[in-house]
Amino acid sequence: MRLTSKGQVTIPQNIRELAGLKPYDEVEFEYRNKQIIVKPVKRTTSPAKEAIGLLRGSANSNIGLSADEWLEMTRGER
């Protein structure tokens, strides 16, 4: 593997499959004992549930989001 000029690297498909990683999953990095460890981020709720939780009770308030921003937040990245 080789880093791009932006510091990016592709996780090989067999490793992604073994780790259960799917497109748009989040990962975190840890540096321990001179090794870089990549771990999947365990979400406790879906992006849609997070958005609903943020908006609960805000029907009469100005949340400051456009319709496009609201749709992106509730649908997640594609």
Side-chain angles (χ1 to χ4, degrees):
M1 298 273 104
R2 185 180 308 240
L3 288 175
T4 68
S5 62
K6 293 183 179 182
Q8 299 169 332
V9 65
T10 299
I11 302 171
Q13 181 177 357
N14 65 323
I15 301 296
R16 292 192 314 265
E17 289 172 355
L18 287 169
L21 292 172
K22 296 178 286 312
Y24 307 108
D25 280 353
E26 294 181 22
V27 295
E28 64 184 17
F29 295 88
E30 185 178 325
Y31 185 75
R32 186 180 350 142
N33 299 323
K34 298 183 180 181
Q35 294 183 330
I36 299 169
I37 300 165
V38 182
K39 300 189 296 187
V41 173
K42 302 286 189 219
R43 290 198 104 149
T44 56
T45 60
S46 70
K49 286 185 180 180
E50 288 177 16
I52 290 167
L54 288 171
L55 297 172
R56 183 165 281 131
S58 64
N60 296 325
S61 66
N62 179 5
I63 60 170
L65 295 176
S66 69
D68 288 335
E69 291 168 327
W70 162 250
L71 288 173
E72 183 178 324
M73 183 173 65
T74 56
R75 291 179 179 166
E77 287 188 49
R78 294 183 185 239

Coordinates of all heavy atoms in Angstrom, one line a residue:
M1 N 0.8 -1.2 0.0 CA 0.0 0.0 0.0 C 0.9 1.2 0.0 O 2.0 1.2 0.6 CB -0.9 0.0 1.2 CG -1.8 -1.1 1.4 SD -3.4 -0.8 0.6 CE -3.3 -1.8 -0.8
R2 N 0.4 2.3 -0.6 CA 1.1 3.5 -0.7 C 0.1 4.6 -0.3 O -1.0 4.7 -0.8 CB 1.7 3.7 -2.1 CG 2.5 5.0 -2.2 CD 3.1 5.1 -3.6 NE 3.7 3.9 -4.0 CZ 5.0 3.8 -4.4 NH1 5.7 4.8 -4.5 NH2 5.5 2.6 -4.8
L3 N 0.6 5.6 0.5 CA -0.2 6.7 0.9 C -0.3 7.7 -0.3 O 0.7 7.9 -1.0 CB 0.4 7.5 2.0 CG 0.3 6.9 3.4 CD1 1.1 7.7 4.4 CD2 -1.1 6.8 3.9
T4 N -1.5 8.3 -0.5 CA -1.6 9.3 -1.5 C -1.0 10.6 -1.0 O -0.6 10.7 0.2 CB -3.1 9.6 -1.9 OG1 -3.7 10.2 -0.7 CG2 -3.8 8.3 -2.3
S5 N -0.9 11.6 -1.8 CA -0.4 12.9 -1.3 C -1.2 13.5 -0.3 O -0.8 14.4 0.5 CB -0.3 13.9 -2.5 OG -1.5 14.1 -3.1
K6 N -2.5 13.1 -0.2 CA -3.4 13.6 0.9 C -3.4 12.7 2.1 O -4.2 12.9 3.1 CB -4.9 13.6 0.4 CG -5.1 14.6 -0.7 CD -6.5 14.7 -1.1 CE -6.8 15.7 -2.2 NZ -8.2 15.7 -2.6
G7 N -2.5 11.7 2.2 CA -2.4 10.8 3.3 C -3.5 9.7 3.4 O -3.7 9.2 4.4
Q8 N -4.1 9.4 2.2 CA -5.1 8.4 2.2 C -4.6 7.1 1.7 O -3.6 7.0 1.0 CB -6.2 8.9 1.2 CG -6.9 10.2 1.6 CD -7.7 10.7 0.5 OE1 -7.5 10.5 -0.7 NE2 -8.8 11.5 0.9
V9 N -5.2 6.0 2.1 CA -4.9 4.7 1.7 C -6.2 3.9 1.6 O -7.1 4.1 2.3 CB -3.9 4.0 2.7 CG1 -4.5 3.8 4.0 CG2 -3.3 2.7 2.1
T10 N -6.2 3.0 0.7 CA -7.4 2.1 0.5 C -7.3 0.9 1.3 O -6.2 0.2 1.3 CB -7.6 1.7 -1.0 OG1 -7.7 2.9 -1.8 CG2 -8.7 0.8 -1.2
I11 N -8.3 0.5 2.1 CA -8.3 -0.7 2.9 C -8.7 -1.8 1.9 O -9.7 -1.8 1.3 CB -9.3 -0.6 4.0 CG1 -9.0 0.5 5.0 CG2 -9.4 -1.9 4.8 CD1 -10.1 0.8 6.0
P12 N -7.8 -2.8 1.8 CA -8.1 -3.9 0.8 C -9.5 -4.6 1.1 O -9.9 -4.7 2.2 CB -7.0 -4.9 1.1 CG -5.9 -4.1 1.7 CD -6.6 -3.0 2.5
Q13 N -10.1 -5.0 0.0 CA -11.4 -5.6 0.1 C -11.5 -6.7 1.1 O -12.5 -6.8 1.8 CB -11.9 -6.0 -1.3 CG -13.3 -6.6 -1.3 CD -13.8 -6.9 -2.7 OE1 -13.1 -6.7 -3.7 NE2 -15.0 -7.5 -2.7
N14 N -10.6 -7.6 1.0 CA -10.7 -8.8 1.9 C -10.6 -8.4 3.4 O -11.3 -8.9 4.2 CB -9.6 -9.8 1.6 CG -8.2 -9.3 1.9 OD1 -7.9 -8.2 1.6 ND2 -7.3 -10.2 2.3
I15 N -9.9 -7.3 3.7 CA -9.8 -6.8 5.1 C -11.1 -6.1 5.4 O -11.6 -6.3 6.5 CB -8.6 -5.8 5.3 CG1 -7.3 -6.5 4.9 CG2 -8.6 -5.2 6.6 CD1 -6.9 -7.6 5.8
R16 N -11.7 -5.3 4.5 CA -13.0 -4.7 4.8 C -14.0 -5.8 5.0 O -14.9 -5.6 6.0 CB -13.4 -3.8 3.6 CG -12.5 -2.6 3.4 CD -13.1 -1.6 2.4 NE -13.6 -2.2 1.2 CZ -12.9 -2.3 0.0 NH1 -11.7 -1.8 0.0 NH2 -13.5 -2.8 -1.1
E17 N -14.0 -6.8 4.2 CA -15.0 -7.9 4.4 C -14.8 -8.6 5.8 O -15.8 -8.8 6.5 CB -14.9 -8.9 3.3 CG -15.4 -8.3 2.0 CD -15.2 -9.3 0.8 OE1 -14.5 -10.3 0.9 OE2 -15.7 -8.9 -0.3
L18 N -13.6 -8.9 6.1 CA -13.3 -9.6 7.4 C -13.8 -8.7 8.6 O -14.3 -9.2 9.6 CB -11.8 -9.9 7.6 CG -11.3 -11.0 6.7 CD1 -9.8 -11.1 6.7 CD2 -11.9 -12.4 7.2
A19 N -13.6 -7.4 8.4 CA -14.0 -6.4 9.5 C -15.5 -6.1 9.5 O -16.0 -5.4 10.3 CB -13.1 -5.2 9.4
G20 N -16.2 -6.5 8.4 CA -17.6 -6.1 8.3 C -17.8 -4.7 7.9 O -18.9 -4.1 8.2
L21 N -16.8 -4.1 7.3 CA -17.0 -2.7 6.9 C -17.7 -2.5 5.6 O -17.5 -3.3 4.6 CB -15.6 -2.0 6.7 CG -14.8 -1.9 8.0 CD1 -13.4 -1.4 7.7 CD2 -15.5 -0.9 8.9
K22 N -18.6 -1.6 5.5 CA -19.4 -1.3 4.3 C -19.2 0.1 3.9 O -18.7 0.9 4.7 CB -20.9 -1.5 4.7 CG -21.3 -3.0 5.0 CD -22.7 -3.2 5.3 CE -23.2 -2.7 6.7 NZ -22.5 -3.0 7.9
P23 N -19.6 0.5 2.7 CA -19.4 1.9 2.3 C -20.0 2.9 3.3 O -21.1 2.6 3.8 CB -20.1 1.9 0.9 CG -20.0 0.5 0.4 CD -20.1 -0.3 1.6
Y24 N -19.3 3.9 3.5 CA -19.7 5.0 4.4 C -19.7 4.7 5.9 O -20.1 5.5 6.7 CB -21.1 5.6 4.0 CG -21.2 6.0 2.6 CD1 -21.9 5.2 1.7 CD2 -20.5 7.1 2.1 CE1 -21.9 5.5 0.3 CE2 -20.5 7.4 0.8 CZ -21.2 6.7 -0.1 OH -21.2 7.0 -1.4
D25 N -19.2 3.5 6.3 CA -19.0 3.2 7.7 C -17.9 4.1 8.2 O -17.0 4.5 7.4 CB -18.6 1.7 7.9 CG -19.8 0.7 7.9 OD1 -20.9 1.2 7.8 OD2 -19.5 -0.5 7.9
E26 N -17.9 4.4 9.5 CA -16.9 5.2 10.1 C -15.9 4.3 10.8 O -16.2 3.2 11.3 CB -17.5 6.1 11.1 CG -18.5 7.1 10.5 CD -19.1 8.1 11.5 OE1 -18.5 8.3 12.6 OE2 -20.1 8.7 11.2
V27 N -14.6 4.8 10.7 CA -13.5 4.1 11.4 C -12.8 5.1 12.3 O -12.9 6.3 12.0 CB -12.6 3.4 10.4 CG1 -13.2 2.3 9.6 CG2 -11.9 4.4 9.5
E28 N -12.1 4.5 13.2 CA -11.2 5.4 14.1 C -9.8 4.8 14.0 O -9.6 3.6 13.8 CB -11.8 5.5 15.5 CG -11.8 4.2 16.3 CD -12.4 4.4 17.7 OE1 -13.1 5.4 17.9 OE2 -12.2 3.5 18.5
F29 N -8.8 5.7 14.3 CA -7.5 5.3 14.2 C -6.9 5.4 15.6 O -7.2 6.3 16.4 CB -6.7 6.2 13.3 CG -7.1 6.1 11.9 CD1 -8.1 6.8 11.4 CD2 -6.5 5.2 11.0 CE1 -8.5 6.7 10.0 CE2 -6.9 5.0 9.7 CZ -7.9 5.8 9.2
E30 N -6.0 4.5 16.0 CA -5.3 4.5 17.2 C -3.8 4.2 17.0 O -3.5 3.4 16.1 CB -5.9 3.4 18.1 CG -5.3 3.4 19.5 CD -6.0 2.4 20.4 OE1 -7.2 2.1 20.2 OE2 -5.3 1.8 21.2
Y31 N -2.9 4.9 17.7 CA -1.5 4.6 17.5 C -1.0 4.0 18.8 O -1.1 4.6 19.9 CB -0.7 5.9 17.2 CG 0.7 5.7 16.9 CD1 1.1 5.2 15.7 CD2 1.7 6.0 17.9 CE1 2.5 5.0 15.5 CE2 3.0 5.8 17.6 CZ 3.4 5.3 16.4 OH 4.7 5.1 16.2
R32 N -0.6 2.7 18.8 CA -0.2 2.0 20.0 C 1.0 1.2 19.6 O 1.0 0.4 18.7 CB -1.4 1.2 20.4 CG -1.1 0.5 21.8 CD -2.3 -0.4 22.3 NE -3.5 -0.3 21.5 CZ -4.3 -1.3 21.3 NH1 -4.0 -2.5 21.7 NH2 -5.4 -1.1 20.6
N33 N 2.0 1.3 20.5 CA 3.2 0.4 20.3 C 3.8 0.5 18.9 O 4.1 -0.5 18.3 CB 3.0 -1.0 20.7 CG 2.5 -1.2 22.1 OD1 3.0 -0.5 23.0 ND2 1.6 -2.1 22.4
K34 N 3.9 1.7 18.4 CA 4.4 2.0 17.0 C 3.6 1.3 15.9 O 4.1 1.0 14.8 CB 5.9 1.5 17.0 CG 6.8 2.3 17.9 CD 8.2 1.9 17.7 CE 9.1 2.8 18.7 NZ 10.5 2.5 18.6
Q35 N 2.3 1.0 16.2 CA 1.5 0.5 15.2 C 0.2 1.3 15.0 O -0.2 1.9 16.0 CB 1.0 -0.9 15.6 CG 2.1 -2.0 15.6 CD 1.6 -3.4 15.9 OE1 0.6 -3.5 16.6 NE2 2.3 -4.4 15.4
I36 N -0.3 1.4 13.8 CA -1.5 2.1 13.5 C -2.6 1.1 13.5 O -2.6 0.1 12.7 CB -1.5 2.9 12.2 CG1 -0.3 3.9 12.3 CG2 -2.8 3.5 11.9 CD1 0.0 4.5 10.9
I37 N -3.7 1.3 14.3 CA -4.8 0.4 14.4 C -6.0 1.1 13.9 O -6.3 2.2 14.3 CB -5.0 -0.1 15.9 CG1 -3.7 -0.8 16.4 CG2 -6.2 -0.9 16.0 CD1 -3.7 -1.0 17.9
V38 N -6.7 0.5 13.0 CA -8.0 1.0 12.4 C -9.1 0.1 13.0 O -9.1 -1.1 12.8 CB -8.0 0.9 10.9 CG1 -9.2 1.5 10.3 CG2 -6.7 1.6 10.3
K39 N -10.1 0.8 13.6 CA -11.2 0.1 14.2 C -12.5 0.7 13.7 O -12.6 1.9 13.6 CB -11.2 0.2 15.7 CG -9.9 -0.3 16.3 CD -9.9 -0.4 17.8 CE -10.0 0.9 18.5 NZ -9.9 0.9 19.9
P40 N -13.5 -0.2 13.5 CA -14.8 0.3 13.1 C -15.4 1.1 14.3 O -15.2 0.7 15.4 CB -15.7 -0.9 12.8 CG -14.7 -2.1 12.9 CD -13.5 -1.6 13.5
V41 N -16.2 2.1 14.0 CA -16.9 2.9 15.0 C -18.2 2.2 15.2 O -19.0 2.0 14.3 CB -17.0 4.4 14.6 CG1 -17.9 5.1 15.6 CG2 -15.7 5.0 14.5
K42 N -18.5 1.8 16.4 CA -19.8 1.2 16.7 C -20.8 2.3 17.0 O -20.7 3.1 17.9 CB -19.7 0.3 18.0 CG -18.7 -0.8 17.8 CD -19.1 -1.9 16.9 CE -18.2 -3.0 17.0 NZ -17.9 -3.7 15.8
R43 N -21.8 2.4 16.1 CA -22.9 3.4 16.3 C -23.9 2.8 17.2 O -24.3 1.7 17.1 CB -23.5 3.7 15.0 CG -22.6 4.5 14.1 CD -23.4 5.1 13.0 NE -23.5 6.5 13.4 CZ -23.7 7.5 12.5 NH1 -23.8 7.3 11.3 NH2 -23.7 8.7 13.0
T44 N -24.4 3.7 18.1 CA -25.5 3.2 19.0 C -26.8 3.5 18.4 O -27.8 2.9 18.8 CB -25.3 3.9 20.4 OG1 -25.4 5.3 20.2 CG2 -24.0 3.5 21.1
T45 N -26.9 4.5 17.5 CA -28.1 4.8 16.8 C -27.9 5.0 15.4 O -26.7 5.3 15.0 CB -28.8 6.0 17.4 OG1 -28.0 7.1 17.3 CG2 -29.2 5.8 18.9
S46 N -28.9 5.0 14.5 CA -28.7 5.2 13.1 C -28.7 6.8 12.9 O -29.1 7.5 13.8 CB -29.9 4.7 12.3 OG -31.1 5.4 12.6
P47 N -28.1 7.2 11.8 CA -28.1 8.7 11.5 C -29.5 9.3 11.5 O -29.7 10.4 12.0 CB -27.5 8.7 10.1 CG -26.7 7.5 9.9 CD -27.5 6.4 10.7
A48 N -30.5 8.5 11.0 CA -31.9 9.0 11.1 C -32.4 9.2 12.5 O -33.0 10.3 12.8 CB -32.8 8.1 10.3
K49 N -32.1 8.3 13.4 CA -32.5 8.4 14.8 C -31.8 9.5 15.5 O -32.4 10.2 16.3 CB -32.3 7.1 15.5 CG -33.3 6.0 15.2 CD -33.1 4.8 16.0 CE -34.1 3.7 15.7 NZ -34.0 2.5 16.5
E50 N -30.6 9.7 15.1 CA -29.8 10.9 15.7 C -30.4 12.2 15.3 O -30.6 13.1 16.1 CB -28.3 10.8 15.3 CG -27.5 9.7 15.9 CD -26.1 9.7 15.4 OE1 -25.6 10.7 14.8 OE2 -25.5 8.7 15.7
A51 N -30.8 12.3 14.0 CA -31.4 13.5 13.5 C -32.8 13.8 14.1 O -33.1 14.9 14.6 CB -31.6 13.4 12.0
I52 N -33.6 12.7 14.3 CA -34.9 12.9 14.9 C -34.7 13.3 16.4 O -35.4 14.2 16.9 CB -35.7 11.5 14.9 CG1 -36.1 11.3 13.4 CG2 -36.9 11.6 15.8 CD1 -36.6 9.9 13.1
G53 N -33.7 12.7 17.1 CA -33.4 13.1 18.5 C -33.0 14.6 18.6 O -33.5 15.3 19.5
L54 N -32.3 15.1 17.6 CA -31.9 16.5 17.6 C -33.1 17.4 17.4 O -33.1 18.5 17.9 CB -30.8 16.8 16.5 CG -29.4 16.2 16.8 CD1 -28.6 16.4 15.5 CD2 -28.8 16.9 17.9
L55 N -34.0 17.0 16.6 CA -35.1 17.8 16.2 C -36.4 17.6 17.1 O -37.3 18.4 17.0 CB -35.5 17.5 14.7 CG -34.4 17.8 13.7 CD1 -34.8 17.3 12.4 CD2 -34.2 19.3 13.7
R56 N -36.4 16.6 17.9 CA -37.5 16.4 18.8 C -37.9 17.7 19.6 O -37.0 18.3 20.2 CB -37.2 15.3 19.7 CG -38.4 14.9 20.6 CD -38.2 13.6 21.3 NE -38.5 12.5 20.3 CZ -37.8 11.5 20.1 NH1 -36.7 11.3 20.7 NH2 -38.1 10.6 19.1
G57 N -39.1 18.1 19.4 CA -39.6 19.3 20.2 C -39.2 20.6 19.5 O -39.4 21.6 20.1
S58 N -38.6 20.5 18.3 CA -38.2 21.8 17.7 C -39.1 22.3 16.6 O -38.7 23.1 15.8 CB -36.8 21.6 17.1 OG -36.8 20.6 16.1
A59 N -40.3 21.7 16.5 CA -41.2 22.1 15.4 C -41.5 23.6 15.4 O -41.7 24.1 14.3 CB -42.6 21.3 15.6
N60 N -41.5 24.2 16.5 CA -41.8 25.7 16.6 C -40.5 26.5 16.6 O -40.6 27.7 16.8 CB -42.7 26.0 17.8 CG -44.0 25.3 17.6 OD1 -44.5 25.2 16.5 ND2 -44.6 24.9 18.8
S61 N -39.4 25.9 16.5 CA -38.1 26.7 16.6 C -37.4 26.7 15.3 O -37.7 25.9 14.4 CB -37.2 26.1 17.7 OG -36.8 24.8 17.2
N62 N -36.5 27.6 15.1 CA -35.7 27.7 13.9 C -34.5 26.9 14.1 O -33.6 27.2 14.8 CB -35.3 29.2 13.7 CG -34.5 29.3 12.4 OD1 -34.3 28.4 11.7 ND2 -34.0 30.6 12.2
I63 N -34.4 25.7 13.4 CA -33.2 24.8 13.5 C -32.1 25.2 12.6 O -31.0 24.7 12.8 CB -33.6 23.4 13.3 CG1 -34.2 23.2 11.9 CG2 -34.6 22.9 14.4 CD1 -34.4 21.7 11.5
G64 N -32.3 26.1 11.7 CA -31.2 26.6 10.9 C -30.8 25.7 9.8 O -29.6 25.8 9.4
L65 N -31.6 24.8 9.4 CA -31.2 23.8 8.3 C -32.1 24.0 7.1 O -33.3 24.2 7.2 CB -31.4 22.4 8.8 CG -30.5 21.9 9.9 CD1 -30.9 20.5 10.3 CD2 -29.0 21.9 9.6
S66 N -31.4 24.0 5.9 CA -32.2 24.0 4.7 C -32.8 22.6 4.5 O -32.5 21.7 5.2 CB -31.3 24.3 3.5 OG -30.4 23.3 3.3
A67 N -33.7 22.5 3.6 CA -34.4 21.2 3.3 C -33.3 20.2 2.8 O -33.3 19.1 3.2 CB -35.4 21.4 2.2
D68 N -32.3 20.7 2.0 CA -31.3 19.8 1.5 C -30.4 19.3 2.7 O -30.0 18.1 2.7 CB -30.4 20.5 0.5 CG -31.1 20.7 -0.9 OD1 -32.0 19.9 -1.1 OD2 -30.7 21.6 -1.6
E69 N -30.1 20.2 3.6 CA -29.3 19.8 4.8 C -30.1 18.8 5.6 O -29.5 17.8 6.1 CB -28.9 21.0 5.6 CG -27.9 21.9 4.9 CD -27.7 23.3 5.6 OE1 -28.7 23.8 6.2 OE2 -26.6 23.8 5.6
W70 N -31.4 19.0 5.8 CA -32.2 18.1 6.6 C -32.2 16.7 6.0 O -32.0 15.7 6.6 CB -33.6 18.7 6.7 CG -34.7 17.7 7.1 CD1 -35.6 17.2 6.4 CD2 -34.8 17.1 8.4 NE1 -36.4 16.3 7.1 CE2 -35.9 16.2 8.3 CE3 -34.1 17.1 9.6 CZ2 -36.3 15.4 9.4 CZ3 -34.5 16.4 10.7 CH2 -35.6 15.5 10.5
L71 N -32.4 16.7 4.6 CA -32.5 15.4 3.9 C -31.1 14.7 4.0 O -31.1 13.5 4.2 CB -32.8 15.6 2.5 CG -34.3 16.0 2.2 CD1 -34.6 16.3 0.8 CD2 -35.2 14.8 2.7
E72 N -30.0 15.4 3.9 CA -28.7 14.8 4.0 C -28.5 14.3 5.4 O -27.9 13.2 5.5 CB -27.6 15.9 3.6 CG -26.2 15.3 3.7 CD -25.2 16.3 3.3 OE1 -25.5 17.2 2.4 OE2 -24.1 16.2 3.8
M73 N -28.9 15.0 6.4 CA -28.7 14.5 7.8 C -29.5 13.3 8.1 O -29.1 12.4 8.7 CB -29.1 15.7 8.7 CG -28.9 15.3 10.2 SD -29.1 16.7 11.3 CE -30.9 17.0 11.1
T74 N -30.8 13.2 7.6 CA -31.6 12.1 7.9 C -31.3 10.9 7.0 O -31.5 9.8 7.5 CB -33.1 12.5 7.7 OG1 -33.3 12.9 6.4 CG2 -33.5 13.5 8.7
R75 N -30.8 11.1 5.8 CA -30.5 10.0 4.9 C -29.1 9.5 5.1 O -28.8 8.4 4.7 CB -30.7 10.4 3.4 CG -32.1 10.6 3.1 CD -32.2 11.1 1.6 NE -33.6 11.3 1.3 CZ -34.0 11.9 0.2 NH1 -33.1 12.4 -0.7 NH2 -35.2 12.1 -0.1
G76 N -28.2 10.3 5.7 CA -26.8 9.9 5.8 C -26.1 10.1 4.5 O -26.7 10.4 3.5
E77 N -24.8 10.0 4.5 CA -23.9 10.2 3.3 C -24.2 9.1 2.3 O -24.5 8.0 2.7 CB -22.5 10.2 3.7 CG -22.1 11.5 4.4 CD -20.6 11.5 4.5 OE1 -19.9 11.3 3.5 OE2 -20.1 11.8 5.6
R78 N -24.0 9.4 1.1 CA -24.2 8.3 0.0 C -22.9 8.2 -0.7 O -22.1 9.0 -0.9 CB -25.3 8.7 -0.9 CG -26.6 8.7 -0.1 CD -27.8 9.0 -1.0 NE -28.9 9.1 -0.3 CZ -30.0 8.3 -0.4 NH1 -30.0 7.5 -1.4 NH2 -31.0 8.4 0.3

